[in-house]
Amino acid sequence: MEKSQVDTAESRKDILLQISNLQKSYSGVTVLSGITFSLEKGSVMGLIGENGAGKSTLIKCINGVTTPDSGEILFDGSFYSSMTIKKALSLGIVTIPQEFNLADHLSVKDNIYMGCELKKAHFFLDHRKMRIGAAELLESLGCILSPDAIVGTLNVAQKQMVEIARGLNRKCHLFIMDEPTTVLNTAETEKLFRVINRLKEQGVSVIYVSHKLAEISTICDHFTVLRDGQYITTQKTAGTSTKEMANLMVGRQLKDIYPPKPALPPPDAECLLSLQDVSESSLVKNVTFSLAKGEILGIAGLGGAGRTELAEGIYGIRRFISGKMFFKGKEVCITSPEEAVKAGIAYIPEDRQKSGTVQTFPLSWNMTLVSLLEKYCSGTFICRKKEESAAEKYISLFSIKAPSGRIRMNELSGGNQQKGVIAKSLDTSPDLFIFDEPTRGIDINSRSEIYFFIRSLAEKGTSCIIISSDLEEIIGLCPRTLVMREGRLAGILENDNINEKEIMYLATGIK
Ligand SMILES: Nc1ncnc2c1ncn2[C@@H]1O[C@H](COP(=O)(O)OP(=O)(O)OP(=O)(O)O)[C@@H](O)[C@H]1O
Ligand SMILES: [Mg+2]
């Protein structure tokens, strides 16, 4: 309810947003309590915290997607005990949500202008103007994309750019970005930062949520830490290291986040997977490599380099049109994910919302989905007890923040959903694990747990392929990495040669 009270106190002049004592619970479980902080006009505030700390919920209280139980929001001089989506938009509170909120069947332009369509003669949609406007917005983000492309056909990085362009198209005083760069590469992130700096110059305030703490250091003036739904501190980024930020997030001193790198497999190591000259239409071209048993192999490259398409070819989502694939010593032709699972291949897709989860199913159902028939069915019945105890095992293995396996997938925080997706693939006991952007949206502590987990899988003889835009992850985890460019294998790097410079040389083709 709006109290329509204007606070003219001098001390509040530069404050755009002041949150006081905000409280929120879901089904009796407190998710936010006593949250109090303020945000100055024209400043960028980083919001950090572990998965499930309450960052997205706080954002949803500010932008009216959800209603807090108590507390107050002061925005541009007026107090609100709650916000509505409509009110927030009219006040210029614009959000790029953590999970895509796009209409897949509509074009890029129609998504960007949804709810603020341009009209001619007060009645007809002005498609020409909207097409030009959308193209200009995308160009400002350095994104080459047709305004007429259908959103459902885009990859995740392109979808993210459409979300950002849509946000930029609105009247904006407060721009909230909930993990905008999880699927963007370094160059795309830099372009986004240029846009943020431009917004800042125009006096727009930004709340920037990210688990990439180096980004918080680069783009934010201050950062606020949430831990288990509680406000911990707000500090200046200048003079605070990312390690200190991470320690504040978890409330203790973190050790090394990467396990020791495994040695390169010897030349006579047993080969698990071998691709010889495989191509998939125009997206994967003449790729040849082999993967040893128990090896951790990275695949780096820019967005659109064909990494996901290569993985989808191995997993049978796509068909290689030429070349040969050998798995466990035999030539194979895998034509469906079902065949891939049977052969012993697991794949964690990059887009968890679209192909990784059934959002309305409970967490336990999601975790056992792939192995349901083999492990959890007796005759025509599903043994829910067995399923629940498997879910409990994975919840504890990955420290998933969930009261039980019965919680619906869409009630979990983004990072906890990602952990659920990893558990789902693990439940099939694969010989080859393909991780496509495995730590997308996962906090630093859980990320470390996943890295150690991948290392232990490899030690037990499971081979792992890590596709990642996070070069630090590739460098920290893999003793050997392929770099792809425009569908081709641009090079293979090993040990000390795996560094940001060498990867980018190969990925861009610019020496
Ligand atoms: N609709 C809902 N129903 C029940 N619980 C919910 C709902 N939405 C969020 N939660 C719970 O609230 C807590 C905070 O979730 P939130 O999404 O705010 O975390 P987050 O800090 O954004 O985490 P992440 O970094 O993983 O995105 C989680 O434990 C989550 O399960
Ligand atoms: Mg979140």
Side-chain angles (χ1 to χ4, degrees):
M1 265 290 163
E2 191 177 343
K3 279 196 208 159
S4 57
Q5 171 193 343
V6 180
D7 189 322
T8 51
E10 191 64 19
S11 61
R12 308 233 166 176
K13 202 174 64 185
D14 293 330
I15 301 289
L16 178 73
L17 174 75
Q18 164 90 50
I19 303 287
S20 307
N21 218 3
L22 208 78
Q23 202 94 16
K24 173 76 191 169
S25 48
Y26 285 111
S27 324
V29 179
T30 305
V31 173
L32 292 175
S33 96
I35 306 291
T36 300
F37 73 90
S38 58
L39 175 64
E40 284 173 19
K41 287 182 183 162
S43 85
V44 183
M45 159 87 80
L47 185 59
I48 60 174
E50 289 188 277
N51 295 132
K55 303 176 297 294
S56 297
T57 308
L58 174 57
I59 283 168
K60 287 176 190 164
C61 292
I62 299 170
N63 66 18
V65 169
T66 192
T67 311
D69 302 335
S70 60
E72 275 180 342
I73 299 170
L74 173 84
F75 188 80
D76 213 7
S78 297
F79 280 105
Y80 305 88
S81 59
S82 70
M83 197 59 87
T84 61
I85 296 175
K86 209 170 153 194
K87 181 86 203 155
L89 278 175
S90 73
L91 289 170
I93 301 176
V94 174
T95 310
I96 301 174
Q98 183 170 9
E99 307 292 347
F100 297 130
N101 199 7
L102 300 167
D104 270 358
H105 60 291
L106 294 182
S107 70
V108 167
K109 144 183 119 353
D110 292 344
N111 269 281
I112 290 176
Y113 280 92
M114 194 183 291
C116 54
E117 292 81 0
L118 299 181
K119 300 210 172 129
K120 53 185 173 188
H122 300 294
F123 187 71
F124 298 104
L125 291 176
D126 194 338
H127 289 288
R128 199 184 68 87
K129 256 195 181 159
M130 289 194 281
R131 197 168 286 119
I132 294 170
E136 281 173 2
L137 278 167
L138 291 164
E139 205 187 316
S140 75
L141 289 164
C143 175
I144 304 156
L145 196 57
S146 162
D148 293 316
I150 298 298
V151 164
T153 64
L154 306 182
N155 66 34
V156 283
Q158 290 168 326
K159 282 185 184 173
Q160 187 66 67
M161 285 304 190
V162 176
E163 278 282 10
I164 297 169
R166 176 153 78 169
L168 291 173
N169 194 33
R170 295 187 180 270
K171 179 194 87 172
C172 178
H173 294 299
L174 170 60
F175 205 138
I176 306 175
M177 303 186 189
D178 196 351
E179 303 195 39
T181 59
T182 44
V183 294
L184 302 187
N185 61 35
T186 317
E188 289 161 338
T189 302
E190 274 169 15
K191 277 176 198 133
L192 177 65
F193 284 2
R194 258 177 258 155
V195 171
I196 293 177
N197 281 325
R198 232 177 25 233
L199 289 171
K200 215 175 127 174
E201 280 162 21
Q202 293 160 9
V204 174
S205 308
V206 177
I207 296 181
Y208 188 89
V209 181
S210 182
H211 289 294
K212 299 180 181 176
L213 299 179
E215 288 183 0
I216 301 283
S217 286
T218 310
I219 198 65
C220 301
D221 303 301
H222 296 88
F223 66 95
T224 290
V225 184
L226 298 187
R227 195 189 308 141
D228 287 331
Q230 309 265 353
Y231 171 84
I232 301 298
T233 181
T234 297
Q235 294 184 15
K236 280 190 176 161
T237 43
T240 312
S241 68
T242 53
K243 196 157 186 222
E244 285 163 330
M245 288 182 198
N247 290 342
L248 283 166
M249 275 168 56
V250 296
R252 63 188 157 81
Q253 295 282 328
L254 274 175
K255 297 202 193 88
D256 285 345
I257 76 159
Y258 292 102
K261 253 195 210 188
L264 271 176
D268 60 348
E270 188 184 333
C271 176
L272 179 80
L273 171 78
S274 169
L275 296 190
Q276 290 179 9
D277 209 24
V278 296
S279 299
E280 190 275 342
S281 64
S282 60
L283 298 164
V284 178
K285 297 173 202 156
N286 309 97
V287 172
T288 297
F289 74 91
S290 45
L291 172 75
K293 190 168 184 285
E295 179 179 0
I296 305 176
L297 175 74
I299 305 186
L302 301 179
R307 297 167 302 169
T308 293
E309 289 76 10
L310 178 65
E312 289 182 347
I314 298 171
Y315 193 62
I317 296 173
R318 293 169 184 268
R319 286 285 283 276
F320 291 130
I321 49 169
S322 61
K324 289 181 177 172
M325 172 165 149
F326 295 87
F327 191 67
K328 296 185 201 163
K330 272 192 267 166
E331 185 174 350
V332 289
C333 174
I334 291 176
T335 57
S336 69
E338 197 185 350
E339 282 178 31
V341 170
K342 274 200 185 123
I345 303 174
Y347 176 51
I348 299 179
E350 61 174 344
D351 189 347
R352 65 169 167 262
Q353 253 184 320
K354 192 172 147 200
S355 39
T357 55
V358 184
Q359 288 279 313
T360 50
F361 275 14
L363 172 63
S364 59
W365 295 15
N366 270 284
M367 282 171 165
T368 55
L369 206 55
V370 186
S371 44
L372 192 67
L373 282 178
E374 288 76 29
K375 289 168 76 174
Y376 303 97
C377 282
S378 122
T380 48
F381 295 100
I382 299 172
C383 181
R384 294 286 180 209
K385 272 238 155 66
K386 236 179 171 179
E387 196 175 60
E388 266 171 37
S389 72
E392 293 311 321
K393 184 181 86 187
Y394 291 123
I395 287 172
S396 129
L397 180 67
F398 291 110
S399 327
I400 299 177
K401 198 167 178 224
S404 78
R406 288 186 203 157
I407 189 168
R408 269 200 343 217
M409 208 62 181
N410 57 10
E411 291 175 350
L412 284 176
S413 79
N416 283 303
Q417 287 187 26
Q418 182 70 8
K419 294 182 193 177
V421 175
I422 295 180
K424 182 183 79 175
S425 305
L426 186 69
D427 202 47
T428 61
S429 315
D431 299 298
L432 166 61
F433 223 128
I434 307 174
F435 296 87
D436 200 347
E437 306 289 355
T439 57
R440 187 184 158 192
I442 290 193
D443 68 54
I444 186 159
N445 191 32
S446 309
R447 218 180 315 153
S448 178
E449 283 171 13
I450 289 173
Y451 297 150
F452 276 87
F453 172 72
I454 290 175
R455 178 78 165 87
S456 73
L457 279 180
E459 260 164 24
K460 285 181 210 140
T462 308
S463 307
C464 301
I465 293 180
I466 317 287
I467 299 173
S468 180
S469 310
D470 185 344
L471 296 188
E472 217 182 89
E473 184 164 282
I474 295 266
I475 296 163
L477 207 56
C478 312
R480 194 165 75 104
T481 191
L482 316 179
V483 184
M484 289 185 72
R485 181 176 72 243
E486 292 168 7
R488 293 184 190 279
L489 200 57
I492 300 179
L493 299 170
E494 289 180 356
N495 291 329
D496 291 344
N497 286 329
I498 308 178
N499 56 56
E500 212 156 304
K501 215 161 110 188
E502 287 298 326
I503 293 175
M504 288 319 282
Y505 279 159
L506 288 169
T508 56
I510 304 163
K511 186 98 185 171

